[in-house]
């Protein structure tokens, strides 16, 4: 430890080279007479000013970082290349309180070469998204690139002034391991590269995950030094941790829900499915890896549903929907049909879907009369009610009661609603807010229909409405009213959220004859409403849809 006294004495006064001393923040505290001789600046005028005022603007950053070669402005306003290696003086706890050095004008190297070297160095630093550093034992950082201020909030001067600064700001839970690696590098007997990850406490208090790529440099006759690059990997680390938590939660949840799991590599078309997936569709003990993903799935889907299922997942791959969930009839290994729900999410790279993963559920096992979250009827009750009105309508037509009065008593319409923006609400505010949003949507839907009508929650953010004793024009008007009602903002706790709905409508005037035909038609119209960015699409036949804003 040295005493931070101002350098003095006859020797300093007689030295032909300029001696410069600054405090930790670059304020000039001492100059010998050679300063005036060399630079033309008067000693008295320079004392108390920042040394950085005399440095070329392009060189300030690298000087602060620890580079000793820079351009200094002389009294005649010309800039000259100089070397000033500033050596620190420290207090009792090794914090830098001043720096001293001898200013040497560089004449043996042409200015053009120095400019080119400096510019290459600056360009390199600008392209590196991390902090370049160099450190020596007992000295601390001899070089620290200015990115430290952007990534961690500390100034270069704050960091370099204290040899213990880094270890004082490593997260306490990571300090012991980081110090073990650090000490091993300082005491190494040969040069070697190494890497470590740890958390650093930024000036704002934020915890930053750091990946530190380092090299211990061992040279004869001098203390070990280290050079390295600190990279902020907080986003990647948080993603890794969340994926691990999600994997654990999802594994437990799927075992509890009795769902089948699938993972599809779209680049190789290899589909991996779980044992439970095979059990649901009755395939028994066969290989769980299928080389032709869609070919395997297509043979499981009832032919009447294949086009609708393919449309749903292609819409997701094209980016038209944030995820996909579609119900279809699967062909069980025994030959019977069973209703399943196929849902999942795609992973994209450079805008191209490369992987999909999700689950398969047996709807017969999941079915219930009422939805616990919204207190609305569920899928089985809605299908039963729809079967009843279809039968009434067909009987009325068969009995010849097709006049206006009779037709009015049995005509109906089926609406399928899908919420736009629901996933974004879940992602931004969490699932509790998403659940409350679904509850408010349910109440608005009930308020928009009559006592004779039926509102049901089918799955996720998908709802069905059955409008009874209503003609097609009135049904279309009611669908537009529902779309307008759902489009109004929702107040949930302290959040105001906005969503909209895409609605597919099919009326009994379409002449369809089965539950599944009505649901497929409403589903088709809903997807066309979604792709057209309009509220309602009315299904009036395979090639006769009408769009309503």
């Amino acid at each position: 430890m040295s005493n931070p006294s101002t350098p003095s004495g006859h020797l300093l006064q007689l030295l032909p080279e300029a001696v410069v001393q600054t405090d930790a923040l670059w304020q000039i505290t001492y100059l010998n007479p050679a300063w005036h001789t060399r630079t033309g600046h008067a000693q008295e005028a320079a004392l108390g000013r920042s040394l950085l005022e005399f440095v070329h603007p392009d060189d300030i950053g690298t000087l602060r970082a620890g580079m000793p070669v820079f351009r200094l402005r002389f009294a005649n306003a010309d800039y000259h290349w100089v070397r000033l290696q500033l050596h620190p003086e420290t207090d009792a706890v090794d914090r830098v309180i001043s720096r001293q050095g001898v200013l040497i004008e560089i004449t043996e190297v042409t200015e053009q070469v120095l400019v080119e070297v400096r510019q290459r160095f600056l360009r390199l630093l600008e392209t590196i998204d991390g902090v370049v550093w160099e450190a020596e034992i007992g000295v601390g950082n001899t070089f620290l690139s200015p990115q430290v201020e952007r990534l961690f909030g500390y100034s270069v001067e704050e960091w370099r002034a204290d040899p213990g600064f880094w270890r004082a700001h490593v997260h306490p839970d990571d300090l012991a391991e980081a110090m073990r690696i650090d000490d091993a590098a300082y005491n190494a007997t040969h040069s070697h590269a190494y890497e470590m990850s740890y958390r650093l406490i930024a000036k704002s208090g934020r915890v930053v995950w750091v990946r530190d790529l380092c090299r211990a440099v061992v040279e004869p006759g001098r203390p070990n030094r280290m050079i390295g690059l600190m990279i902020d990997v907080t986003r990647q680390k948080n993603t890794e941790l969340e994926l691990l938590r999600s994997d654990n939660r999802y594994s437990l949840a799927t075992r509890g829900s009795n769902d089948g799991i699938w993972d599809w590599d779209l680049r190789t078309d290899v589909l991996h499915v779980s044992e439970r997936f095979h059990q649901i569709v009755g395939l028994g003990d066969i290989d769980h890896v299928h080389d032709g993903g869609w070919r395997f799935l297509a043979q499981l889907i009832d032919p009447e549903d294949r086009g609708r299922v393919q449309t749903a997942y292609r819409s997701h791959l094209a980016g038209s929907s944030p995820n996909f969930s579609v119900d279809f009839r699967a062909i069980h290994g025994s030959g019977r049909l069973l209703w399943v729900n196929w849902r999942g999410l795609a992973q994209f790279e450079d805008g191209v879907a490369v992987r999909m993963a999700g689950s398969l559920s047996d709807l017969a096992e999941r079915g219930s009369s009422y939805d616990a979250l919204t207190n609305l009827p569920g899928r089985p009750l809605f299908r039963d009610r729809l079967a009843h009105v279809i039968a009434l309508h067909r009987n009325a037509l068969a009995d010849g009661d097709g006049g206006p009065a009779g037709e009015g008593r049995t005509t109906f319409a089926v609406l399928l609603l899908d919420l736009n923006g629901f996933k974004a609400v879940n992602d931004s505010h969490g699932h509790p807010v998403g659940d409350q949003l679904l509850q408010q949507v349910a109440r608005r839907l009930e308020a928009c229909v009559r006592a004779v009508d039926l509102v049901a929650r089918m799955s996720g953010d998908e709802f069905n409405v059955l409008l009874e004793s209503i003609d097609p024009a009135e049904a279309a008007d009611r669908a537009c009213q529902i779309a307008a009602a759902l489009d109004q903002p929702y107040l949930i706790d302290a959040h105001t959220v906005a969503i909209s709905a895409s609605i597919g409508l099919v009326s009994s005037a379409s002449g369809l004859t089965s539950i599944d035909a009505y649901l497929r038609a409403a589903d088709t119209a809903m997807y066309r409403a979604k792709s057209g960015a309009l509220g309602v699409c009315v299904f009036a036949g395979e090639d006769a849809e009408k769009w309503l804003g």
Side-chain angles (χ1 to χ4, degrees):
M1 241 67 71
S2 57
N3 181 21
S5 59
T6 301
S8 59
H10 189 63
L11 179 61
L12 291 182
Q13 300 293 317
L14 296 177
L15 279 177
E17 303 295 347
V19 176
V20 179
Q21 177 176 280
T22 74
D23 64 13
L25 297 178
W26 302 103
Q27 184 179 22
I28 299 173
T29 56
Y30 174 81
L31 297 167
N32 70 345
W35 165 265
H36 173 67
T37 305
R38 292 293 182 181
T39 69
H41 296 294
Q43 287 175 265
E44 297 77 9
L47 286 171
R49 294 170 63 183
S50 171
L51 176 64
L52 302 180
E53 294 181 32
F54 299 90
V55 177
H56 193 287
D58 291 344
D59 298 341
I60 290 175
T62 50
L63 173 62
R64 293 176 62 214
M67 287 290 290
V69 178
F70 57 92
R71 284 165 289 183
L72 187 77
R73 177 171 50 82
F74 281 28
N76 62 2
D78 289 339
Y79 284 97
H80 295 250
W81 283 99
V82 299
R83 179 180 181 85
L84 178 60
Q85 182 72 59
L86 290 169
H87 302 278
E89 288 201 14
T90 58
D91 61 13
V93 291
D94 285 338
R95 288 176 301 192
V96 174
I97 56 175
S98 68
R99 294 187 177 93
Q100 301 174 6
V102 176
L103 183 74
I104 301 172
E105 185 175 357
I106 299 174
T107 57
E108 67 273 15
V109 182
T110 66
E111 182 171 313
Q112 183 60 39
V113 172
L114 287 170
V115 169
E116 289 176 358
V117 171
R118 178 56 59 92
Q119 292 306 318
R120 283 199 299 270
F121 180 76
L122 288 173
R123 284 196 296 270
L124 176 62
L125 281 185
E126 290 169 358
T127 61
I128 297 175
D129 189 21
V131 178
V132 179
W133 58 270
E134 182 183 58
E136 286 188 9
I137 188 168
V139 177
N141 284 101
T142 55
F143 178 84
L144 193 70
S145 67
Q147 285 93 326
V148 70
E149 299 176 352
R150 175 175 59 83
L151 293 182
F152 306 121
Y154 301 107
S155 71
V156 172
E157 286 79 11
E158 284 180 281
W159 194 298
R160 292 188 61 211
D162 183 359
F165 190 92
W166 173 77
R167 66 188 63 189
H169 291 83
V170 173
H171 193 284
D173 292 347
D174 301 334
L175 182 59
E177 178 63 13
M179 288 302 302
R180 183 188 68 79
I181 298 173
D182 198 48
D183 289 341
Y186 276 128
N187 294 288
T189 57
H190 63 279
S191 298
H192 69 280
Y194 63 99
E195 176 181 332
M196 57 179 169
S197 294
Y198 52 86
R199 287 163 291 181
L200 195 74
I201 310 300
K203 192 167 188 175
S204 64
R206 182 173 68 95
V207 176
V208 181
W209 273 101
V210 174
R211 183 184 180 202
D212 214 338
L213 307 173
C214 321
R215 183 169 184 82
V217 180
V218 178
E219 297 175 342
R222 63 176 296 178
N224 284 6
R225 61 192 174 96
M226 293 188 293
I227 57 176
L229 172 65
M230 291 189 289
I231 304 171
D232 180 353
V233 293
T234 305
R235 180 177 298 178
Q236 299 94 309
K237 195 69 176 181
N238 287 342
T239 299
E240 291 173 9
L241 294 174
E242 182 57 34
L243 281 174
L244 179 60
R245 289 192 290 265
S246 296
D247 285 347
N248 293 336
R249 288 195 302 264
Y250 194 61
S251 176
L252 179 62
T254 51
R255 290 198 301 270
S257 65
N258 212 21
D259 287 348
I261 306 302
W262 55 273
D263 187 343
W264 192 357
D265 188 330
L266 299 177
R267 291 166 294 194
T268 62
D269 199 27
V270 173
L271 176 69
H272 295 254
V273 300
S274 67
E275 181 179 355
R276 177 57 185 155
F277 188 108
H278 280 170
Q279 290 175 354
I280 290 174
V281 293
L283 292 182
D285 187 18
I286 64 172
D287 191 357
H288 293 177
V289 180
H290 303 278
D291 290 334
W294 175 248
R295 185 173 63 252
F296 166 74
L297 292 168
Q299 68 182 2
L300 300 177
I301 305 170
D302 183 80
E304 292 189 14
D305 293 343
R306 285 175 191 163
R308 181 168 54 84
V309 173
Q310 196 168 30
T311 298
Y313 95 84
R314 282 181 174 173
S315 174
H316 177 53
L317 294 185
S320 301
S321 58
N323 51 24
F324 74 95
S325 176
V326 60
D327 298 346
F328 63 88
R329 288 165 297 181
I331 304 171
H332 192 269
S334 64
R336 65 182 176 88
L337 295 178
L338 73 154
W339 276 95
V340 297
N341 174 256
W342 185 43
R343 62 192 178 279
L345 187 68
Q347 174 186 340
F348 293 84
E349 292 181 4
D350 298 324
V352 178
V354 296
R355 179 185 176 193
M356 297 173 72
S359 61
L360 184 79
S361 304
D362 184 342
L363 292 178
E365 295 181 356
R366 293 177 55 195
S368 62
S369 296
Y370 277 83
D371 172 59
L373 177 65
T374 61
N375 289 323
L376 291 176
R379 185 187 307 273
L381 197 153
F382 185 86
R383 289 177 63 86
D384 289 345
R385 180 80 166 269
L386 178 56
H388 178 68
V389 298
I390 291 173
L392 287 179
H393 184 63
R394 293 186 67 184
N395 290 339
L397 294 178
D399 291 341
D401 190 9
E407 188 180 30
R409 286 193 299 270
T410 63
T411 54
F412 62 91
V414 177
L415 278 61
L416 175 62
L417 299 84
D418 183 80
L419 303 181
N420 305 315
F422 177 75
K423 182 179 183 297
V425 173
N426 260 346
D427 292 345
S428 300
H429 304 297
H431 290 285
V433 171
D435 288 347
Q436 292 183 59
L437 176 58
L438 292 174
Q439 291 169 342
Q440 290 195 25
V441 168
R443 303 292 80 80
R444 290 192 190 184
L445 287 172
E446 289 178 321
C448 290
V449 301
R450 305 158 298 173
V452 70
D453 302 322
L454 177 68
V455 178
R457 183 185 179 201
M458 304 303 278
S459 64
D461 58 341
E462 206 170 77
F463 297 80
N464 272 119
V465 178
L466 178 61
L467 303 174
E468 295 194 40
S469 302
I470 193 169
D471 65 40
E474 291 172 336
D477 288 340
R478 184 60 54 88
C480 290
Q481 292 169 17
I482 291 173
L486 298 183
D487 196 43
Q488 298 302 309
Y490 296 78
L491 182 61
I492 302 173
D493 296 332
H495 308 287
T496 299
V497 299
I499 59 168
S500 62
S502 297
I503 303 177
L505 183 153
V506 56
S507 75
S508 52
S510 62
L512 301 175
T513 58
S514 70
I515 299 171
D516 297 327
Y518 275 99
L519 292 177
R520 284 198 303 272
D523 188 68
T524 298
M526 184 276 291
Y527 272 105
R528 292 182 179 175
K530 187 179 289 289
S531 64
L534 297 174
V536 180
C537 175
V538 177
F539 184 94
E542 288 296 325
D543 299 310
E545 284 73 40
K546 182 169 70 174
W547 299 83
L548 304 175

